[in-house]
Structure formats: structure tokens, C-alpha cells
Amino acid sequence: MTFNVVVVGAGSAGAVIASRLSEDESRSVALIEAGPDYPSFDDLPAALKYGYASAADIATDTHLWPYSARATRWQHETPLPRGRVTGGTSAINGQIFARGLPEDFDAWAAQGNEGWSFADVEPVYRQLETDLDFDDEHHGRTGLVQVHRYPRDSWLPPQVAFHEACLAAGYEDCPDMNAPYSSGAGPLPFNNVGGIRASSALTYLAAARGRPNLHVLAETTARRLLVGGSRIRGVEVACGNALDVIEGDEYVLAAGAVGSPHLLLLSGIGPVRDLERAGVRVALDLAGVGANLRDHQVVDVWWERGAALDVPADAPVVQVALRYTASGSRLRNDMKITIRNRLTIPGTDSAVAERTLSIVPGLELASGSGTLRIASSSADVQPVVQLNFLEEESDRARLREGVLLSLELAGDAGLGALVGRRLSPADEDIASAAALDDWLMRSVRTSHHICGTCKMGPAADEAAVVDRHGRLHGIENLRVGDASICPDVVRANLNATTMMIGERIADFMRA
């Protein structure tokens, strides 16, 4: 099979790229997805359709990659959920549709990535959305993704009490977290209007279905790229027990921050030492593949619910947040705290989760970074992911402060009336800075916003994998177009930015 463009991965970015490129009727586009496809809304399983489905609903089905990661040297590996279905991780996520800060993108541009400043990307954010709450120069009204915020009269009691505690502590009221220079406490923006999870499959891909030049190849797993000199000759795929090769003029990897670098490594593109150790023939020495793994680091402070507090099982987990700048930090809004109406630590017994209330401080722009390395030449063996959380003292200090602030907010009269006995951290865990650091190293976890493993940058940057247009350094007809190209994580949940990256890469390709 031969196409003009082959896109690997039908997730947050890949579905966007394929949809936009197939608007040109003369361009044939193949969209390869390892997981299942649900062509109509009625076909979609409830766990993917409804935004209030719990993590357990999704974790027990067939829509996740079996990835795992180690957060710190003190912890064992834990699951790293990534969507394996059309829509990718946008089909299983928490649906917070927040934008990165202007400073995030201006920093990208300053590293040699012209075209990625905030002035460049804000119009693309607007293009994505139909904002149901705000109509001004910063918000879109005609995009495929509807965005809303829960109105205050619908906030559950913990959310109201948390917001009031933040204001009482001196933080600003923030009605719109997608306003460029906003800060403080307020409602989060969501893309789940009417309780329906607006994935890239239900928005972009749904709008493109029926085009004869768009071919969605579901349950088809890309195993490696076939490299011939400075060009890609095809993608080896597995469909059931059969192997095949899909050929194209151009190729785009949009398999995510784990899948895209892993596919490059399996194809012999990456650090020579790692490839040789795994028994992979080296096609291109590219040291940055799998390095620079970035994420948001969070920890859960949790209590038994107060006896009088009743939260419906199908209620939103979170509705409001506090964004603030850590003491002494030069990075605006480098911290975020949310209150969860039930515990959301993966693997927690559902009966326990429903009896608890948690406050979750998170580090939005860490100093440290992790790695992804190939473990075997077999595509069936998952890569080794080391998140390397809290290795930097500045990261520990900021998250330590976040825990103490969470405890202070929980002491507010309104919020304090809703919580019972504190379950974690224990009193001995907060007895000293050293004790708190120990607890953090045992308890910190991913916020599921990994990115950066195919860093974007000029050829002079030895850590860069792609240029500012997503083109792989050293390969003429291959691009990467997903969150893995982020030079650093943005100070926001990642889904809106990943979809924006898809739009941006499609623009570059059409140009």
C-alpha cells in the first residue's frame, strides 16, 4: 500500500494531522493506529465516551499500552497509561483543556524554534476551540473542540471550600485560566461538555471520516521504519499475525512521547551505544532520541471524608485549581494545586477512593528530566522509562512547599469541616524537611503529561531530534508531530498543546 502521507498514531496530534492533510482531495493519507477504531459515536464504549469514567474503568480494558515507568530511585515501576485507540490519550484523559503560558512558548522560540512563540501559537489555540464561556481576542468560537468551565453554582462542597480557602490565603480569583497572564484560584477549562469526552477522534477524525483519500488503518501496529540512506522507505506493520509494509512519500510519527521515540530506536535511529546494547543495527546516530523526558510531578495529600460529606459517584473528580509561583522562583505559575473529590492514585481500591478526599500539589515546570531507553530489538518489548523525579533540590523544595501549603489550606475553617482524619502524609512524615523529602521520594507520581523525548531544536543543538518544522535531523521525508517534540513541558495539562502541535505540523506540511 502506498500513500502520499503516512501518519503513525491516531492520538491527540495524529488525528489532527491526518484530518487537516486530508482536506486536500489530491493527497492520500494513511492513519495507522495500533488500537481499535470506533467509527460512530454509538459504537464508542462508555468508558471512553463519558468523561466521568474512572481510571479503573479504562485500566481494565484493552485501550491502554502496557507501558510502565519508575518515578524515583526509591520506587518500583508503576503503570504509565497511554491511550491505544483512535483518539489516543485524548480518549482516556481527564479532559482539562488548559493552555501553556506565554513564557513557555517564548522560551521554545528563544532556543532556535522560530514559529513557536506565544504570538505564533495563540491563534492556533483559538482555532482548536469553541469556548462557551468567553468571547474575546484570546478565545475561539468556531473550533471543533467545545470548552467550558463548571459554573460556581455547580461546584461540589470541597471545590467551593478550597476556592474560598485560597482567596482567604491571599491568592487572586481567576475566572479564566486560559487568559494569557492569569494566575490564582478558579475553575479549570474542560473539553467534556455534557459529560462527553471530546477526544481528537470525536472531533477532528469524526469531521474527516468519509473522505475517500483518508484511510484509517486500525488494529495495525507499527513495528519499525525501514531506513534507506537519508530517507524512509516504508513502515513495517503487524496486523494480527501478518506483517506488511506501508509506503509513503512522507511520514509523520505521532505515536506519543513513548511511542514515537521507541519507534525511532527500533528503526536504528538514536544513541549509538543504546542501539548497539539492544542489538539494533544503527541507521542514524541521533543522541537526543529518548532523552529530555519532561513531566509534571504530583503528590497526593489525603484524608478520610468528613461524615457529613457525600459526593455522587459520577461527580467530576476536580473542578477548580490554584496556580501560583513558588517562593523564590523566577518561573511564574510553576506550581498548581487541585482538590479531588476522591482519591485518584492509580491502583487504589475503588471503595477506599470513594471514602477519601485529596489535595494534590504539583510541580508544573521541573528542573530535572528523565529518559526513555530501548530494552530490546523486539518491538514487543517495552522501553525502559526512568522519570527521575525530584533529583534536583529546587524541585524538592518547591514540592515540599506545595505539601505544606496544602496542609495549611486544609486547615481553613470551611475546608477543615469537610475532612476527617489525615491518612497521608503521617505526622512523622512532616516532622522535618528531611522526613518530608523521604515521603516525597516514596510518594511522588506522574501527572501523565510526559513529553520532550524527540526534542525540537536547531541542528547545532546536540540534544535536538527534529527541527522547528518537526523534520527529523538527518532524514529527508520524516517528521515527528506530537508532544515528544516539546523542548520542555508547558505549565498546563498537555492535551490542548498536543492538539495545537498537530495543527502546527499540518500547517508546515501544507505550506
Side-chain angles (χ1 to χ4, degrees):
M1 293 183 284
T2 303
F3 304 88
N4 295 126
V5 180
V6 177
V7 181
V8 180
S12 298
V16 174
I17 293 169
S19 172
R20 289 303 190 195
L21 294 181
S22 64
E23 290 174 349
D24 180 353
E25 295 178 357
S26 68
R27 180 188 284 119
S28 60
V29 179
L31 181 59
I32 299 173
E33 171 54 48
D37 179 35
Y38 300 100
S40 74
F41 181 78
D42 291 339
D43 294 332
L44 199 62
L48 303 180
K49 183 183 298 185
Y50 298 110
Y52 304 146
S54 70
D57 294 328
I58 296 171
T60 56
D61 64 21
T62 60
H63 300 110
L64 294 178
W65 286 96
Y67 298 140
S68 61
R70 190 177 181 189
T72 74
R73 61 184 184 273
W74 291 26
Q75 297 186 30
H76 299 295
E77 285 192 350
T78 55
L80 188 66
R82 302 281 94 190
R84 191 173 183 268
V85 61
T86 47
T89 302
S90 75
I92 67 163
N93 68 353
Q95 307 117 82
I96 295 174
F97 211 69
R99 301 176 179 178
L101 303 189
E103 298 96 316
D104 293 325
F105 300 105
D106 290 343
W108 290 13
Q111 295 178 41
N113 297 299
E114 182 183 350
W116 290 92
S117 71
F118 185 67
D120 296 310
V121 305
E122 190 190 27
V124 188
Y125 275 132
R126 293 200 305 268
Q127 180 179 324
L128 288 171
E129 69 178 16
T130 293
D131 194 303
L132 302 179
D133 302 319
F134 292 94
D135 185 8
D136 57 32
E137 70 274 19
H138 298 302
H139 298 83
R141 301 292 292 181
T142 60
L144 290 168
V145 182
Q146 290 190 325
V147 179
H148 78 110
R149 297 144 191 85
Y150 291 100
R152 185 183 174 87
D153 61 9
S154 73
W155 294 358
L156 293 161
Q159 309 291 319
V160 174
F162 177 77
H163 182 255
E164 291 177 349
C166 291
L167 300 187
Y171 295 101
E172 299 175 39
D173 183 31
C174 179
D176 177 20
M177 291 194 177
N178 278 345
Y181 294 98
S182 60
S183 188
L188 288 159
F190 287 89
N191 60 318
N192 66 351
V193 177
I196 303 299
R197 179 184 280 107
S199 69
S200 62
L202 281 184
T203 53
Y204 279 82
L205 193 55
R209 289 190 189 275
R211 295 174 186 164
N213 59 324
L214 175 61
H215 306 265
V216 179
L217 308 178
E219 298 183 278
T220 302
T221 303
R223 297 181 65 83
R224 60 181 48 84
L225 305 172
L226 305 179
V227 185
S230 62
R231 295 184 63 81
I232 302 302
R233 297 186 291 105
V235 183
E236 181 185 284
V237 300
C239 187
N241 295 322
L243 294 179
D244 197 0
V245 174
I246 298 174
E247 298 179 345
D249 301 320
E250 295 182 88
Y251 301 84
V252 185
L253 299 188
V258 175
S260 288
H262 190 217
L263 191 56
L264 289 175
L265 294 166
L266 288 167
S267 309
I269 301 173
V272 169
R273 181 175 298 180
D274 288 355
L275 295 174
E276 291 178 341
R277 185 182 297 118
V280 177
R281 185 180 66 84
V282 177
L284 176 64
D285 181 11
L286 204 54
V289 177
N292 190 54
L293 191 155
R294 305 284 177 161
D295 196 2
H296 297 144
Q297 309 176 19
V298 299
V299 70
D300 302 85
V301 181
W302 45 297
W303 294 260
E304 292 177 339
R305 285 184 190 169
L309 179 59
D310 182 29
V311 177
D314 62 350
V317 173
V318 61
Q319 294 169 303
V320 303
L322 167 66
R323 295 180 303 159
Y324 70 97
T325 303
S327 299
S329 176
R330 59 178 179 80
L331 302 168
R332 185 176 67 91
N333 284 358
D334 59 342
M335 297 295 297
K336 182 171 79 174
I337 300 180
T338 56
I339 185 166
R340 313 290 176 94
N341 296 315
R342 55 184 176 271
L343 191 65
T344 56
I345 299 176
T348 303
D349 181 84
S350 59
V352 173
E354 296 301 329
R355 296 195 301 270
T356 56
L357 192 71
S358 64
I359 297 180
V360 183
L363 183 57
E364 292 286 278
L365 193 57
S367 300
S369 63
T371 59
L372 178 150
R373 290 193 170 92
I374 188 169
S376 168
S377 60
S378 170
D380 299 321
V381 177
Q382 302 305 320
V384 176
V385 180
Q386 301 281 0
L387 300 176
N388 297 338
F389 286 168
L390 301 179
E391 289 292 324
E392 306 290 332
E393 169 54 29
S394 63
D395 292 345
R396 292 193 297 274
R398 287 182 288 165
L399 196 52
R400 190 189 311 136
E401 180 185 64
V403 171
L404 297 178
L405 176 57
S406 299
L407 296 174
E408 178 184 329
L409 294 171
D412 179 84
L415 191 51
L418 300 179
V419 301
R421 179 170 60 97
R422 175 164 35 88
L423 300 175
S424 185
D427 288 344
E428 57 268 26
D429 294 325
I430 57 175
S432 67
L436 184 49
D437 280 355
D438 288 349
W439 179 80
L440 288 172
M441 294 295 282
R442 297 192 307 271
S443 306
V444 67
R445 63 177 176 86
T446 175
S447 193
H448 310 298
H449 301 150
I450 58 172
C451 63
T453 46
C454 295
K455 178 186 174 182
M456 173 171 56
D461 180 353
E462 294 182 358
V465 175
V466 301
D467 70 9
R468 64 189 182 92
H469 293 129
R471 295 175 297 209
L472 200 87
H473 291 302
I475 298 289
E476 297 173 4
N477 62 338
L478 175 62
R479 300 184 195 236
V480 182
D482 56 29
S484 62
I485 74 171
C486 298
D488 205 342
V489 71
V490 297
R491 279 163 270 187
N493 299 66
L494 207 53
N495 190 40
T497 295
T498 305
M499 295 179 76
M500 179 274 289
I501 289 171
E503 285 273 19
R504 203 82 182 107
I505 295 299
D507 283 343
F508 293 145
M509 295 182 71
R510 291 185 293 187

